[in-house]
Every structure is written in C-alpha cells, then in structure tokens.
C-alpha cells in the first residue's frame, strides 16, 4: 500500500487481509497452543493496533455464518480476531451487518429494467 491510497481503501484492504489470515489459520479441530499463538500473533501484527478492524472482521464473520455450513470454522476464525484484540463493544454491530449481508446474498440479483428479469440458462 502506498501513501497515495485513501484511508478508506487502506482499511478495506487491511480488512480483507485480516479476514484471509484468520480464515487461513482456522482448522476443523481445536488449535494447538502453538498454532493459536502463531495465529493471534500474526493477526495482532497485521492489525497494527486497529481493534476496530479486528472487530469488523470478527463480527461480520460471526453474523454471516449464523446457521450456515462451516459456521464452526468461521467462528474459530472470528475467535482468533477476538484474541488478537478486537474491540468487544463493536463486534455486535458488525455481527448484525454480517447477518444483513447474508440475507442480501440469498436474494436474487437486481433486475435490469431494460431487459426484464434475468432468465436461467437453457
């Protein structure tokens, strides 16, 4: 990232990096102490004190995964963000945003008013 990159864009990039890092460390089993420490250390360093962005990642993950396949894996990734210093007071609002995004993902795409509803492939 360069200094010419707007702050909002830098935040979006960092959120994506935090999300990917947390998901990469999550496993379908309990992490060993060494794995947990390595994951939390990497997230803490990457976040650079941005507890707000760690909270965003944790909350969106938790909210989006509610009742979905893979929820346990995503919750473990979110727990790593919490352990890395996510702001606990902000997570709830971000979880609500995750639920909103999950609901939106389940809706059909917008209609193109010029062509009418999209038709499924034949």
């Amino acid at each position: 990232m360069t200094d010419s990159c707007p702050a909002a864009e830098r935040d979006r990039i960092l959120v994506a990096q935090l999300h990917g890092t947390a998901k990469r460390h999550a496993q379908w089993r309990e992490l060993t102490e060494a794995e947990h420490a390595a994951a939390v250390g990497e997230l803490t360093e990457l976040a650079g004190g941005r507890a707000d962005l760690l909270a965003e990642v944790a909350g969106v993950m938790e909210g989006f995964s509610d009742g979905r396949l893979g929820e346990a894996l995503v919750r473990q990734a979110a727990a790593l963000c919490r352990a890395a210093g996510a702001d606990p007071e902000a997570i709830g609002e971000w979880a609500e945003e995750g639920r909103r995004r999950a609901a939106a993902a389940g809706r059909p795409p917008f209609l193109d008013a010029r062509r009418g509803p999209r038709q499924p492939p034949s």
Side-chain angles (χ1 to χ4, degrees), residues 39-87:
V40 170
E42 187 174 348
L43 286 165
T44 301
E45 182 178 339
L46 184 58
R50 294 295 306 269
D52 59 325
L53 298 184
L54 285 164
E56 178 178 345
V57 173
V60 169
M61 278 195 223
E62 290 176 1
F64 195 92
S65 70
D66 279 346
R68 292 178 177 263
L69 189 62
E71 180 179 3
L73 186 66
V74 175
R75 289 206 174 266
Q76 186 182 78
L80 292 171
C81 291
R82 285 176 179 271
D87 177 0

Side-chain angles (χ1 to χ4, degrees), residues 82-103:
R82 285 176 179 271
D87 177 0
E89 293 181 15
I91 291 174
E93 286 183 45
W94 283 111
E96 191 57 43
E97 172 62 14
R99 286 187 280 280
R100 187 196 64 74
R101 291 179 187 182

Side-chain angles (χ1 to χ4, degrees), residues 10 13 39 56 81 86-87 112 119:
R10 283 194 306 269
I13 291 167
E56 178 178 345
C81 291
D87 177 0
D112 183 339
Q119 299 298 315

